Amino acid sequence: MINIAVLGYGTVGSGVVEVINKNHASINKKAGDEINIKYVLDLRDFPGDPVEKVLVHDFEVIINDPEVDIIVEVMGGVNPAYTFSKRALEAGKSVCTSNKELVAQHGTELLEIAKSKDINYLFEASCGGGIPIIRPLNSSLTADEIDEVTGILNGTTNYILTKMALEGSDFDDVLKDAQQKGYAERNPEADVEGYDACRKIAILSSLAYGSHIDYKDVYTEGITKISATDIKYAKHLGTSIKLLATSKKIEDGFYAMVCPVMINERNPLYSVNDVFNAIFVHGNVLGDAMFYGSGAGKLPTASAVVADVVDCAKHLHRNIMMNWSSQPLELMPVDHVKNRFFVRVKGSLTGDIGDVENVFGEVETVSLPDAPDEFAFITQEMCEADFAEKAEKLGTVISRIRAWI
Ligand code: HSE
């Protein structure tokens, strides 16, 4: 029997207990031993819930029990999750987590401790919810040198953008609706400002390129400035606006950014809607691959966590090598990154296109009948720094969205 302890009986924690109970026989068969939930740690009580029998309020009970081999950390947040995970690993207990904040911030250190103790720190559920992506990056795509990872990595913002496109509504209204339905947190900042996607692309990129990427170095823009008018233009152009998290190798360097991007139907991420996530990966021998599925939610996330528990059980005293060295990977400044830009400007197409062409050269233009005081254009490909300079020179820019079209 392999004893595990679950830290946190919130959405994911209760999902982990549910998944282990629901698929007990098949999970045990795949793990090669019986997985027994010996403890669940939470500060709260759960009267009437069967979890009461294994509920403890004190982490010391778990850490001091030599029978516990695997700890599931699904508390969220950096502290006390960091302290608990570190102590667990130092005590020779493997840790499985869905905690993207913790993995992005302390992943390298925790991986090194796990390696030194010949145990494991696994975090499949930290990116893309139930979608297998960490394990494929670490074990299936090892023949490749990966040069791009681009994903829709946040379900909340994808739901909001999908709704905005379907209903023509403004960001604030859709956010309120998403909060009422439980798809967005009461404090939605981490999702809507892109911070959550930023941490996830830092984790995926660290694994894909084998060196540590500091999430604080990733250029990040959220979706709060996307308006119903932007969406109208996007539809008119046959495109959709998605919050993309991307990292790419260009020339001799890597860059990473999170920002809204206008994409058309030729892009494989175009049809990824609602709370779904998808991750596109390009390798130098594989070519393209895409991983799609349920990117958030209780059971999909728990599915990934429990798969890690099974992996830990199969490698109880054997470290699974992770392609994520503590050597930092310095990202190039996004100033050099080239994109096309969709730009909205004040004025009229007939009266002011000359000024635009004087600054930006040849552009594609578009105007909407119900936005008479403005028009929009799409630039040729240019680097971020060039765009910023030209936009300032023109002086009439309302907003801009990167366009991969
Ligand atoms: N808030 C996250 C999302 C949860 O919306 O994708 C899963 O990490």
Side-chain angles (χ1 to χ4, degrees), residues 155-288:
T156 304
T157 45
N158 205 41
Y159 173 83
I160 292 173
L161 290 171
T162 305
K163 271 274 201 189
M164 284 174 76
L166 272 177
E167 295 171 359
S169 329
D170 257 313
F171 171 79
D172 289 330
D173 298 329
V174 179
L175 173 62
K176 264 184 219 129
D177 171 71
Q179 284 170 316
Q180 268 157 18
K181 294 203 166 99
Y183 292 141
E185 307 270 349
R186 240 176 330 151
N187 177 0
E189 196 189 10
D191 292 319
V192 299
E193 296 293 358
Y195 307 149
D196 177 76
C198 162
R199 292 185 186 108
K200 291 169 178 169
I201 195 67
I203 296 170
L204 295 177
S205 307
S206 297
L207 269 175
Y209 310 133
S211 297
H212 178 66
I213 289 175
D214 188 334
Y215 72 95
K216 293 188 224 74
D217 294 341
V218 178
Y219 174 89
T220 302
E221 262 178 44
I223 63 161
T224 53
K225 294 195 185 95
I226 302 294
S227 67
T229 310
D230 293 327
I231 302 272
K232 249 185 228 162
Y233 276 114
K235 275 192 176 168
H236 192 81
L237 291 161
T239 64
S240 62
I241 299 170
K242 300 289 186 192
L243 182 69
L244 298 188
T246 187
S247 66
K248 281 186 201 168
K249 184 174 186 201
I250 47 170
E251 292 139 23
D252 286 334
F254 289 89
Y255 78 88
M257 64 198 297
V258 174
C259 58
V261 183
M262 217 174 230
I263 53 177
N264 60 22
E265 77 286 343
R266 286 194 301 279
N267 190 306
L269 296 166
Y270 175 81
S271 312
V272 178
N273 288 319
D274 298 312
V275 290
F276 286 96
N277 281 195
I279 303 108
F280 168 87
V281 179
H282 185 268
N284 69 340
V285 283
L286 162 83
D288 297 345

Side-chain angles (χ1 to χ4, degrees), residues 48-328:
D49 189 312
V51 83
E52 266 194 312
K53 287 193 217 100
V54 291
L55 191 69
V56 291
H57 299 304
D58 184 2
F59 178 66
E60 300 308 318
V61 175
I62 295 169
I63 198 76
N64 292 319
D65 185 340
E67 286 188 351
V68 174
D69 282 313
I70 302 169
I71 290 196
V72 171
E73 183 276 297
V74 282
M75 313 172 76
V78 174
N79 273 310
Y82 169 59
T83 319
F84 289 176
S85 301
K86 194 172 169 175
R87 286 188 62 197
L89 291 168
E90 280 166 345
K93 301 176 194 302
S94 286
V95 175
C96 310
T97 187
S98 58
N99 191 334
K100 58 246 168 161
E101 265 178 282
L102 181 58
V103 177
Q105 205 160 314
H106 295 289
T108 41
E109 183 195 358
L110 297 172
L111 281 169
E112 276 178 6
I113 301 172
K115 195 174 175 189
S116 72
K117 296 278 176 186
D118 225 357
I119 49 170
N120 291 292
Y121 183 60
L122 300 183
F123 44 88
E124 181 61 69
S126 65
C127 300
I131 305 171
I133 182 63
I134 302 288
R135 203 165 281 105
L137 280 177
N138 197 53
S139 15
S140 315
L141 301 176
T142 44
D144 274 74
E145 284 181 14
I146 293 172
D147 50 35
E148 177 179 353
V149 180
T150 298
I152 293 175
L153 296 177
N154 183 269
T156 304
T157 45
N158 205 41
Y159 173 83
I160 292 173
L161 290 171
T162 305
K163 271 274 201 189
M164 284 174 76
L166 272 177
E167 295 171 359
S169 329
D170 257 313
F171 171 79
D172 289 330
D173 298 329
V174 179
L175 173 62
K176 264 184 219 129
D177 171 71
Q179 284 170 316
Q180 268 157 18
K181 294 203 166 99
Y183 292 141
E185 307 270 349
R186 240 176 330 151
N187 177 0
E189 196 189 10
D191 292 319
V192 299
E193 296 293 358
Y195 307 149
D196 177 76
C198 162
R199 292 185 186 108
K200 291 169 178 169
I201 195 67
I203 296 170
L204 295 177
S205 307
S206 297
L207 269 175
Y209 310 133
S211 297
H212 178 66
I213 289 175
D214 188 334
Y215 72 95
K216 293 188 224 74
D217 294 341
V218 178
Y219 174 89
T220 302
E221 262 178 44
I223 63 161
T224 53
K225 294 195 185 95
I226 302 294
S227 67
T229 310
D230 293 327
I231 302 272
K232 249 185 228 162
Y233 276 114
K235 275 192 176 168
H236 192 81
L237 291 161
T239 64
S240 62
I241 299 170
K242 300 289 186 192
L243 182 69
L244 298 188
T246 187
S247 66
K248 281 186 201 168
K249 184 174 186 201
I250 47 170
E251 292 139 23
D252 286 334
F254 289 89
Y255 78 88
M257 64 198 297
V258 174
C259 58
V261 183
M262 217 174 230
I263 53 177
N264 60 22
E265 77 286 343
R266 286 194 301 279
N267 190 306
L269 296 166
Y270 175 81
S271 312
V272 178
N273 288 319
D274 298 312
V275 290
F276 286 96
N277 281 195
I279 303 108
F280 168 87
V281 179
H282 185 268
N284 69 340
V285 283
L286 162 83
D288 297 345
M290 190 149 112
F291 302 82
Y292 169 87
S294 305
K298 177 175 166 169
L299 292 180
T301 310
S303 157
V305 175
V306 176
D308 277 350
V309 171
V310 171
D311 221 4
C312 280
K314 283 158 71 178
H315 300 89
L316 213 45
H317 299 291
R318 188 151 52 91
N319 179 252
I320 302 165
M321 195 179 138
M322 298 293 264
N323 182 39
W324 178 343
S325 90
S326 53
Q327 191 71 28

